[in-house]
Amino acid sequence: MEGPELLRLWVLAALALGGSQATVLDHHVLPDLRLSAETGAIFVHELERELFLEAFPGSEDDDAPVTFRAHLWDHPDLPRWLRFTQRDPGQPGFLYGCPLGPELGTHSIQVLAYNRHTFATVSQRLLISVTPAPGGDAPFQAEFLVGNRNVEELLPEAAREMFLQASAGVWERGDLHIINVTSALDRGGRVPLPIEGRREGVYVQVGSHSPFSPCLASAVSPQSRSRCHRGQRPLASCYDTFAPHFSIRWCNLTLLQVWPSPTTPGPLWGSGELEDGGGFEPPTEVVPRELLPGFLVTLLVPLAVAALLCLLLGHLMCCRREGVEKRDLQTSDIQLVHHSSIHGDTRELRLMAGSRDVPRPLSTLPMFNVRTGQRINPMPGPRDGARVPLLPQ
Ligand SMILES: *[C@@H]1O[C@H](CO)[C@@H](O)[C@H](O)[C@H]1NC(C)=O
Ligand SMILES: *[C@@H]1O[C@H](CO)[C@@H](O)[C@H](O)[C@H]1NC(C)=O
């Protein structure tokens, strides 16, 4: 089949699959979206399916499955601090992560939405500007393991608010904020069995500027830890305000106190332009190094040693050789006679063997019958060789 015809068929097939002629090969671009994030606090952006479903060109299907992809603008991957999750094409996607000091600045992310019914795509550029947190990093951090949630169920705003209210109940402080949300699978957790109600588990890191409450402190006390090791519940000195929405694994609670590290003065960034009058001065030239002595030493010393060894060996082999005469002088005459007679006999036998003219022993010939003396050609004849008896009857 010719190339153009093949291409036409392919396009027709794509049209038929797509269902709608207008949407195939169509790509729509949504206006840029500016978002802001603070260091040391969770950033969550929900990719709503509805927004992208409306934008799909010529789409009347209001419930089409949508798959999202996200990556840095002009780069294949996301920045290190940002993660993406979407459970399945019927669910929204989430971009989430906790930026830190090195991530200050603007991050440009491209989101691609892909309609799995019509193959149409929509893209959007997100400009996330990361600013420093006004109060600095929270020095008191607690990490809870929520056993009955998947990570995307704790990312929506409402769920995070509910979690903060519940944690305010055990921490007894008002300035709590969520620092990080991580699926337990990312920390070596196991994929749950596909049973209704089983979830992966989520680690939620909560930060505050005020110290831990006695309740939290008692949950990580040595007594509680040893009870955990024996498989019992840790000591509870207060009411679990997380129940019944969130089931906290109290044995996996971690409390962390971060001391603000003294900031080391880094290099000061200028404007990127040289000041007036300050011409660029290239580094001074390097003095050419003297390499000859090193070269001679590496080459000459091994050569000299090798030559010395050669001379020594030559002297030993040529001038110190004592030879056959000395050996003969030291050997008794009777032994010498014995030796030379053996030599002579052997040489004679060899000569005789070379010129012998007797037929080869029969046993070295092929297929010799001892009784009849008959010989058979071991190579099968033109007939079926497998049926020829080895010994004639
Ligand atoms: C947030 O959690 C992820 C995954 O565990 C980790 O890689 C990242 O360093 C955490 N960020 C902060 C600020 O703790
Ligand atoms: C919770 O902590 C226990 C030990 O106290 C550990 O064996 C278990 O793996 C932890 N669970 C998760 C999901 O990290």
Side-chain angles (χ1 to χ4, degrees):
M1 209 180 290
E2 292 305 312
E5 199 179 344
L6 201 68
L7 185 69
R8 204 165 54 96
L9 265 186
W10 186 83
V11 171
L12 279 181
L15 285 177
L17 276 175
S20 147
Q21 304 212 352
T23 58
V24 177
L25 311 176
D26 243 342
H27 179 70
H28 189 81
V29 180
L30 285 176
D32 289 359
L33 185 62
R34 289 186 172 277
L35 302 163
S36 62
E38 270 182 13
T39 56
I42 185 89
F43 162 85
V44 180
H45 176 62
E46 180 173 350
L47 301 169
E48 292 164 35
R49 294 174 60 242
E50 293 72 27
L51 177 76
F52 288 88
L53 276 173
E54 279 169 20
F56 284 124
S59 153
E60 297 95 42
D61 187 358
D62 278 346
D63 211 30
V66 179
T67 324
F68 294 105
R69 293 270 181 284
H71 57 87
L72 260 177
W73 192 263
D74 277 345
H75 293 274
D77 213 348
L78 281 173
R80 199 173 27 174
W81 62 276
L82 198 60
R83 284 161 285 158
F84 171 76
T85 180
Q86 184 187 15
R87 175 86 17 189
D88 63 62
Q91 306 278 329
F94 288 96
L95 277 167
Y96 65 104
C98 170
L100 290 176
E103 277 89 37
L104 285 175
T106 303
H107 301 255
S108 174
I109 308 286
Q110 186 176 36
V111 172
L112 260 177
Y114 164 63
N115 184 328
R116 318 235 324 185
H117 280 169
T118 65
F119 303 113
T121 50
V122 170
S123 73
Q124 184 180 34
R125 173 140 81 153
L126 308 179
L127 295 163
I128 307 174
S129 54
V130 179
T131 51
D137 281 350
F140 296 94
Q141 302 179 355
E143 191 170 59
F144 301 92
L145 173 59
V146 186
N148 61 343
R149 286 283 187 274
N150 285 334
V151 64
E152 72 275 2
E153 292 168 326
L154 262 168
L155 288 175
E157 175 95 47
R160 281 182 286 146
E161 274 308 316
M162 207 157 97
F163 191 87
L164 278 182
Q165 277 173 18
S167 42
V170 289
W171 201 324
E172 301 157 5
R173 301 291 166 184
D175 67 337
L176 303 181
H177 66 275
I178 294 188
I179 297 177
N180 212 350
V181 176
T182 310
S183 169
L185 296 189
D186 295 342
R187 297 275 193 87
R190 292 196 178 171
V191 177
L193 291 174
I195 298 174
E196 188 69 30
R198 294 285 182 102
R199 300 297 157 91
E200 292 163 1
V202 189
Y203 283 95
V204 184
Q205 203 175 355
V206 178
S208 165
H209 284 275
S210 28
F212 303 112
S213 65
C215 172
L216 288 177
S218 76
V220 296
S221 63
Q223 294 96 319
S224 293
R225 286 286 181 237
S226 66
R227 284 176 66 94
C228 280
H229 278 301
R230 293 198 299 270
Q232 299 165 339
R233 285 179 61 83
L235 296 171
S237 68
C238 59
Y239 180 70
D240 183 352
T241 47
F242 288 100
H245 296 294
F246 304 105
S247 87
I248 300 292
R249 302 276 155 79
W250 286 105
C251 283
N252 294 67
L253 175 71
T254 335
L255 300 186
L256 199 70
Q257 198 164 346
V258 192
W259 299 108
S261 54
T263 47
T264 46
L268 281 182
W269 296 104
S271 61
E273 290 168 26
L274 279 178
E275 287 148 23
D276 270 351
F280 175 68
E281 285 188 17
T284 52
E285 266 187 42
V286 189
V287 187
R289 281 201 299 156
E290 192 62 50
L291 296 176
L292 190 65
F295 170 75
L296 289 183
V297 165
T298 28
L299 205 68
L300 288 189
V301 169
L303 266 183
V305 171
L308 255 176
L309 284 178
C310 262
L311 282 179
L312 188 70
L313 205 63
H315 172 73
L316 283 181
M317 290 184 68
C318 303
C319 313
R320 293 300 193 103
R321 195 181 159 89
E322 286 167 338
V324 180
E325 293 92 44
K326 185 178 176 195
R327 185 197 68 189
D328 287 353
L329 281 181
Q330 286 180 350
T331 316
S332 66
D333 284 348
I334 183 78
Q335 270 191 20
L336 275 180
V337 171
H338 198 164
H339 181 80
S340 56
S341 73
I342 290 178
H343 252 272
D345 293 350
T346 319
R347 198 176 316 119
E348 194 181 347
L349 274 175
R350 286 226 181 91
L351 285 175
M352 285 163 67
S355 65
R356 79 177 144 204
D357 199 14
V358 291
R360 286 172 67 192
L362 287 177
S363 59
T364 64
L365 290 174
M367 291 304 163
F368 172 71
N369 188 324
V370 191
R371 274 183 291 137
T372 59
Q374 191 184 2
R375 289 183 195 166
I376 295 172
N377 185 4
M379 303 305 288
R383 283 188 300 139
D384 186 0
R387 286 162 188 277
V388 178
L390 284 180
L391 297 177
Q393 302 301 311

